Amino acid sequence: MDRRSFIKRTGVASLGIGLNFHKTFSKTKNDITLPIVIATWDVKKATQKAWEILLKNGDSLDAIEQGCRIEEANEKGQSVGIGGLPDREGNVSLDACIMDYKGNCGSVVYLKNIKHAISVARLVMEKTPHVMLAGDGAKKFAVSMGFKEENLLTEKSEADWVKWKKKEKYNPIINIENHDTIGMLAIDKNNNISGGCTTSGLAYKMQGRVGDSPIIGSGLYIDNEIGGAVATGLGEEVIKTVGSFLVVELMRQGYSPEEACKTAIHRIVNKPGSNYQNFQVGYIAINKNGDTGSYAIQKGFSMTKYDMNGNENISSLFFDKKI
Ligand code: SD4
């Protein structure tokens, strides 16, 4: 069983970074080196993009937006952006949210025909007096901001949907193997934390269904004094436990990121009558010191982390009744 959570940090001296260190990295009080970015699932291209921005002294919010856009533009990813699997009626609809270190947030729900939902969410945060825009209003706003409308249903996703329709059996998919909803958390060199989350939601959901990903506190939460958390998996279960807010509040009480994620997962599996065997939920978290952790219900979840030690996909710990 894979019980590894995160890499031990290597001393700066042993890396031989030497005199240029201060130009390239900065340190938190606990001697952790910044910047750092983590994301749900195996999304090394996305963390690479975010890292490049962070390393150039970029802002954590820019790193998050640009990192998430990589997966939104990847047609092969069937749970985010273009190529996302549709609802039961064949519509691809996207949910996304973003939150910065000043406590600002923006989100879009049930956004159709615009692939970069994360960027629309950011503009909701920056250019409107609101936090959330939904459906036609979200699309109208996006178009007014210059986003291009396009068909998000790729041939492959359409063919999968047509195949699914023959049986119309609805079961949440436990782990989508290539990758899944992307949730990302970053700390820049100024020790500021931002986060984002973007998804096409559950495959073959009911038309109009909205998951946890655009709901601040459920799919994502950031408190720049404490840390951040982001969720993936069956959104209904995350919403019912206000998962990401819970993880951050547990870190406020002194839990490590890993312990906080684990406790939030236990909150789901220990509910009376929980049928947790049939679904997946995973959390990743980071605290103000740059410590990271993850935890999931089922085996198969992972986190990608890019810090000064490199870009690595790390298997997550998961719930095990025997422990
Ligand atoms: C949702 N949490 O819409 C998202 C889907 C997801 O891995 O994360 N899938 O419920």
Side-chain angles (χ1 to χ4, degrees):
M1 193 185 300
D2 193 345
R3 289 280 153 202
R4 186 163 170 222
S5 61
F6 50 81
I7 337 160
K8 246 191 150 172
R9 288 170 183 279
T10 319
V12 175
S14 69
L15 285 171
I17 284 171
L19 292 176
N20 281 331
F21 179 82
H22 289 291
K23 278 196 205 141
T24 317
F25 301 106
S26 54
K27 285 187 171 202
T28 64
K29 280 189 210 123
N30 286 11
D31 227 24
I32 304 278
T33 50
L34 299 174
I36 178 169
V37 55
I38 59 172
T40 53
W41 308 100
D42 190 357
V43 289
K44 290 201 204 74
K45 286 190 183 136
T47 47
Q48 165 81 38
K49 181 72 191 173
W51 175 257
E52 283 163 12
I53 292 166
L54 294 167
L55 208 55
K56 285 187 215 141
N57 218 6
D59 191 271
S60 53
L61 190 66
D62 294 329
I64 291 294
E65 181 188 0
Q66 296 304 322
C68 288
R69 283 174 66 101
I70 297 287
E71 290 305 318
E72 287 177 338
N74 173 7
E75 293 196 8
K76 289 194 185 132
Q78 288 187 296
S79 54
V80 57
I82 193 161
L85 287 169
D87 65 22
R88 293 169 196 195
E89 289 160 55
N91 306 293
V92 180
S93 63
L94 307 182
D95 293 338
C97 74
I98 197 159
M99 190 159 186
D100 73 8
Y101 43 86
K102 296 176 196 154
N104 297 314
C105 49
S107 105
V108 285
V109 308
Y110 199 70
L111 176 69
K112 291 201 282 184
N113 298 102
I114 308 277
K115 73 176 166 227
H116 287 307
I118 195 75
S119 298
V120 185
R122 180 172 178 173
L123 290 173
V124 171
M125 173 173 93
E126 291 177 342
K127 306 274 186 217
T128 81
H130 307 304
V131 165
M132 285 179 119
L133 286 181
D136 289 346
K139 184 160 87 181
K140 203 167 147 188
F141 169 70
V143 171
S144 77
M145 289 283 139
F147 288 79
K148 191 180 92 195
E149 285 190 65
E150 59 190 307
N151 178 16
L152 302 181
L153 188 63
T154 54
E155 266 177 41
K156 165 89 174 83
S157 288
E158 186 169 11
D160 288 351
W161 168 64
V162 168
K163 207 159 122 200
W164 174 83
K165 262 170 77 78
K166 289 192 184 130
K167 288 200 180 143
E168 295 217 355
K169 191 161 175 273
Y170 180 70
N171 275 330
I173 302 166
I174 286 190
N175 290 309
I176 295 179
E177 290 310 335
N178 55 357
H179 68 84
D180 219 296
T181 292
I182 175 165
M184 189 179 264
L185 304 166
I187 312 186
D188 61 30
K189 287 195 216 170
N190 296 317
N191 207 354
N192 284 325
I193 311 172
S194 299
C197 189
T198 179
T199 186
S200 52
L202 295 183
Y204 317 129
K205 58 195 175 184
M206 287 174 70
Q207 186 175 14
R209 180 264 186 191
V210 172
D212 60 313
S213 304
I215 313 290
I216 298 293
S218 293
L220 169 75
Y221 195 68
I222 303 291
D223 182 326
N224 201 42
E225 298 288 306
I226 305 296
V230 67
T232 181
L234 185 60
E236 282 72 4
E237 296 297 324
V238 177
I239 292 172
K240 286 181 208 165
T241 50
V242 198
S244 294
F245 184 71
L246 175 61
V247 172
V248 173
E249 291 307 299
L250 289 166
M251 291 195 290
R252 192 190 305 279
Q253 291 169 30
Y255 286 59
S256 70
E258 185 187 306
E259 286 164 350
C261 292
K262 183 173 176 178
T263 305
I265 290 294
H266 284 182
R267 190 71 64 90
I268 296 171
V269 300
N270 291 332
K271 277 164 76 172
S274 172
N275 65 338
Y276 68 86
Q277 294 90 345
N278 300 328
F279 60 83
Q280 174 69 301
V281 171
Y283 291 109
I284 63 169
I286 194 162
N287 67 17
K288 189 71 176 168
N289 291 325
D291 302 318
T292 62
S294 67
Y295 206 83
I297 298 177
Q298 318 275 352
K299 191 175 178 178
F301 178 51
S302 67
M303 163 172 90
T304 303
K305 170 159 146 177
Y306 205 148
D307 65 6
M308 65 176 288
N309 295 314
N311 197 6
E312 193 181 6
N313 183 247
I314 302 163
S315 297
S316 176
L317 302 179
F318 56 93
F319 179 73
D320 184 339
K321 266 276 180 222
K322 284 173 261 147
I323 288 174

